[in-house]
Amino acid sequence: MVLLLSILGILILLIGFVGTLALAGKGDQEYSKSTKQNVTRLTSIYLLLGIFVMAGFGLYFYF
């Protein structure tokens, strides 16, 4: 059950990341330029969250 929830959590994280990148590519030029910093911040958040989730799973399964 824990493994299933872990996989589901990782899938939701990946879908959110891909969705963020897909939406960032749409829109006009001015919108794309003004939101570049926001997309960079969101990408950083997703990457850090992914690292923390994987570390948490590693610790959980280790202990």
Side-chain angles (χ1 to χ4, degrees), residues 1-50:
M1 183 68 169
V2 174
L3 181 62
L4 179 65
L5 290 175
S6 302
I7 292 171
L8 183 62
I10 291 170
L11 283 175
I12 290 172
L13 181 68
L14 289 175
I15 290 169
F17 179 69
V18 170
T20 300
L21 292 179
L23 288 175
K26 295 183 180 181
D28 60 359
Q29 289 290 7
E30 294 299 318
Y31 179 77
S32 295
K33 288 179 184 177
S34 66
T35 59
K36 184 176 181 180
Q37 290 178 343
N38 290 337
V39 171
T40 303
R41 249 182 256 129
L42 281 172
T43 303
S44 301
I45 290 169
Y46 277 121
L47 290 175
L48 286 174
L49 183 61

Side-chain angles (χ1 to χ4, degrees), residues 50-62:
I51 290 169
F52 282 123
V53 167
M54 295 305 283
F57 285 142
L59 288 174
Y60 177 77
F61 289 122
Y62 180 74

